[in-house]
Amino acid sequence: MILILIALASVYQYFYGGKYSRIYTSELESKCHSDEASCKILQAIYKEKCDKGDSKACFANIFMNGDLIRVKIDGKWSFLDKNGEVAIEKFDYAQRFSEGLASVKLNGKYGFIDKNGEFVIKPKFDNAWDFSDGLAAIELNEKYGFIDKNGEFVIKPKFDNAWSFSESLLIELDKKYGLVNKNGKVIVEPKFDHIYGFSEGLAIVELNGKYGFINQNGKVIVEPKFNDVKEFSEGLASVKLNGKYGFINKNGEFVIKPKFDGTWNFSEGLAIIELNGKYGFINQNGKVIIKPELDNTSYFNDGLAIIELNGKYKIINKSGEIVAEPKIDFDSIWEFKEGLARIEINRKWGFIDKSGKIVIKPKFDSAWSFNKGLARIEINRKYGFINKSGKVVIKPIFDDIDYY
C-alpha cells in the first residue's frame, strides 16, 4: 500500500508538481511560439534541469535556442531532434541552423532547409553560408552575392568573395576588401588588404601591413598604424606599437600604454599580460592585479583561471588567491566552462570541478568543453555527447557531431 501511495505521489508530482510539472511546461511550450516571456521561463527551467543531469532538458534547451545537433555517419550529414533522435537526413554536407534555416549540400548543390527538413530554398548554388539578419552569402559560377529567405537575389553574384556580418556585408574584388549595405550600396570601396569580423561595432582593417578599425558605416575610427591588433572586448582592444603591447579605447586613444611583451583580450574585467616570458593579469585601468610570475594561464571564466606555476596546475580567483590545487598531475588542462574544466591524463580526457576534484574520469580519447549542458567526446574515432554527470547521452557512433 505504501509503495502504491509513493508511486501515485510521484505521478502527481510529474504532472502537477510546481515549475517542473509536465502540465506547466506543456503550457509554456504552447505559449512559447507567441510569448517571449514564456520562452524565457521555459529556457530557464530546461537549463536548470539540464544542469542537474536531465539529458532531455539539455536537448530541449538546444532546440529552443535555434540549434539542432548535426551528425555525420557513413559520409552523410543528418540532424537530431530535441529528443536526440535522427529527425532530418541525409545530406552530402550540412551547416548549423541560423535564423531557422540551415545550408545543406545535395547532389553537388547547396540550398536551405527548415527544421522539418523541408527545402525552403532548393539546392541550386555552388556554395551557401549561414543567414545573418535575413541575408545569406552564396556562390554561383565562381562569383559571390547575397539572397534573402525566399531565395531571391538581394545582391547579385558579382564579387570574388563575400561574407555576411550582422553590421554589414564584406566583399572582395580584385584582391581588395570593402563593405556593402543590405541593399547592395557600397559603403566602403574595396581598398583594404583585409577586413576582419566586427566586434562591439568595430572591425579590424589591414592596409600595407598595418592595422586599424572602421565602424559599420565604413568610417575609419582608428587609422591603420599598428603592427598588430586584436578585436575589441569589453570596450578595449589590444594593439602592438614599436614592439610593445597596450590597449586603446574606441576613440583610438591609449588607455593602457604599450609596455608589455604580449596582451590578450579582456575577459570578466581582466586581461592576460606577458612580460619577460611570464604571465599575469591587469584590470581595465592598467593596474596589475596578478603579477606576471606565472608560467602559463587561461582566461578567467566563471570567475576562475587555471594557471601553471613551477610545473604544477592551480586554480585561482580574480584576486590571485589559490582556491584549489589539484593533487593529480595533469598533462593538459583547459579553462572552466559551465563550472567544469577538461583535463588530460595519459592521453585520456575527463573533467574537474571548481575544487579541482575529478568529477568525470579521464576515459575519453578527446573531449570538448561543455556547451548548454553537453560536451562532445571521442572514443575510437567516433563522436557522441555526455552530460555533466558523465553519462553518455548520445552514444559515440558518429563520424562527427556538433551544434556549436
Side-chain angles (χ1 to χ4, degrees), residues 325-348:
E325 295 187 65
K327 297 179 181 179
I328 299 174
D329 290 333
F330 303 127
D331 300 325
S332 180
I333 186 168
W334 292 69
E335 71 271 17
F336 281 94
K337 291 287 181 68
E338 299 188 5
L340 299 179
R342 54 191 172 120
I343 57 164
E344 182 187 12
I345 301 176
N346 298 326
R347 297 186 178 181
K348 295 293 182 181

Side-chain angles (χ1 to χ4, degrees), residues 92-93 95 103-112 121-129 136-145 147 153 157-161:
D92 302 329
Y93 183 70
Q95 296 188 30
S103 167
V104 297
K105 184 181 182 182
L106 191 63
N107 300 324
K109 293 292 183 180
Y110 285 82
F112 288 85
I121 301 171
K122 291 181 179 180
K124 56 186 176 181
F125 305 109
D126 300 327
N127 213 334
W129 288 266
I138 57 88
E139 179 188 359
L140 192 61
N141 300 324
E142 299 184 351
K143 291 294 181 180
Y144 296 77
I147 59 169
F153 283 115
K158 58 183 177 179
F159 303 109
D160 299 331
N161 215 334

Side-chain angles (χ1 to χ4, degrees), residues 371-391:
N371 181 23
K372 297 173 187 170
L374 298 177
R376 178 185 179 191
I377 52 98
E378 177 188 355
I379 298 177
N380 298 326
R381 297 185 179 180
K382 297 292 183 180
Y383 300 88
F385 280 110
I386 59 171
N387 64 15
K388 288 186 178 179
S389 302
K391 179 183 176 183

Side-chain angles (χ1 to χ4, degrees), residues 238-258:
S238 164
V239 299
K240 183 180 182 182
L241 190 64
N242 300 324
K244 293 292 182 179
Y245 287 85
F247 287 88
I248 60 170
N249 61 21
K250 291 184 178 180
N251 295 318
E253 303 163 337
F254 272 107
V255 175
I256 301 169
K257 292 181 179 180

Side-chain angles (χ1 to χ4, degrees), residues 158-203:
K158 58 183 177 179
F159 303 109
D160 299 331
N161 215 334
W163 294 264
S164 181
F165 297 141
S166 58
E167 287 86 351
S168 55
L169 308 174
L170 173 63
I171 56 168
E172 180 188 354
L173 201 57
D174 298 327
K175 297 182 179 180
K176 293 291 183 179
Y177 294 81
L179 297 176
V180 298
N181 67 17
K182 291 173 183 178
N183 297 316
K185 181 181 178 181
V186 175
I187 302 172
V188 178
E189 292 289 342
K191 61 182 180 180
F192 293 106
D193 298 329
H194 211 292
I195 299 177
Y196 300 87
F198 278 88
S199 177
E200 298 186 1
L202 297 178

Side-chain angles (χ1 to χ4, degrees), residues 116-349:
N116 296 316
E118 300 293 332
F119 272 104
V120 175
I121 301 171
K122 291 181 179 180
K124 56 186 176 181
F125 305 109
D126 300 327
N127 213 334
W129 288 266
D130 294 345
F131 272 94
S132 176
D133 285 347
L135 297 183
I138 57 88
E139 179 188 359
L140 192 61
N141 300 324
E142 299 184 351
K143 291 294 181 180
Y144 296 77
F146 294 90
I147 59 169
D148 62 21
K149 288 187 176 181
N150 296 316
E152 300 294 330
F153 283 115
V154 177
I155 301 172
K156 291 182 179 180
K158 58 183 177 179
F159 303 109
D160 299 331
N161 215 334
W163 294 264
S164 181
F165 297 141
S166 58
E167 287 86 351
S168 55
L169 308 174
L170 173 63
I171 56 168
E172 180 188 354
L173 201 57
D174 298 327
K175 297 182 179 180
K176 293 291 183 179
Y177 294 81
L179 297 176
V180 298
N181 67 17
K182 291 173 183 178
N183 297 316
K185 181 181 178 181
V186 175
I187 302 172
V188 178
E189 292 289 342
K191 61 182 180 180
F192 293 106
D193 298 329
H194 211 292
I195 299 177
Y196 300 87
F198 278 88
S199 177
E200 298 186 1
L202 297 178
I204 299 170
V205 293
E206 180 183 354
L207 187 63
N208 300 323
K210 300 291 184 180
Y211 299 87
F213 292 88
I214 60 172
N215 66 16
Q216 55 263 52
N217 297 317
K219 181 181 178 181
V220 175
I221 303 300
V222 181
E223 291 290 337
K225 61 182 179 181
F226 298 107
N227 306 117
D228 190 21
V229 298
K230 294 181 176 68
E231 69 272 14
F232 273 90
S233 176
E234 299 184 9
L236 300 178
S238 164
V239 299
K240 183 180 182 182
L241 190 64
N242 300 324
K244 293 292 182 179
Y245 287 85
F247 287 88
I248 60 170
N249 61 21
K250 291 184 178 180
N251 295 318
E253 303 163 337
F254 272 107
V255 175
I256 301 169
K257 292 181 179 180
K259 56 185 177 181
F260 303 107
D261 300 331
T263 51
W264 283 261
N265 289 345
F266 274 91
S267 175
E268 298 188 0
L270 297 178
I272 300 170
I273 56 166
E274 180 186 359
L275 204 56
N276 301 321
K278 296 292 183 177
Y279 301 88
F281 287 87
I282 58 172
N283 65 15
Q284 292 184 333
N285 296 317
K287 181 181 177 181
V288 174
I289 303 300
I290 299 170
K291 292 180 181 180
E293 300 173 340
L294 311 175
D295 299 325
N296 210 341
T297 184
S298 72
Y299 286 101
F300 271 95
N301 208 310
D302 291 347
L304 299 175
I306 296 165
I307 64 165
E308 185 180 358
L309 189 61
N310 300 323
K312 298 288 185 181
Y313 289 104
K314 305 174 190 293
I315 301 170
I316 63 170
N317 62 21
K318 290 184 180 180
S319 299
E321 300 165 336
I322 295 171
V323 298
E325 295 187 65
K327 297 179 181 179
I328 299 174
D329 290 333
F330 303 127
D331 300 325
S332 180
I333 186 168
W334 292 69
E335 71 271 17
F336 281 94
K337 291 287 181 68
E338 299 188 5
L340 299 179
R342 54 191 172 120
I343 57 164
E344 182 187 12
I345 301 176
N346 298 326
R347 297 186 178 181
K348 295 293 182 181
W349 291 81

Side-chain angles (χ1 to χ4, degrees), residues 68-81 85-97 102 104 113 398 400-402:
L68 288 182
I69 295 172
R70 296 187 302 157
V71 295
K72 184 182 182 183
I73 189 167
D74 297 329
K76 297 290 184 179
W77 287 85
S78 303
F79 290 90
L80 306 185
D81 64 15
E85 303 292 335
V86 174
I88 303 172
E89 56 181 1
K90 293 177 179 176
F91 303 103
D92 302 329
Y93 183 70
Q95 296 188 30
R96 66 184 179 90
F97 273 88
V104 297
I113 60 169
F398 300 105
D400 203 350
I401 187 170
D402 89 286

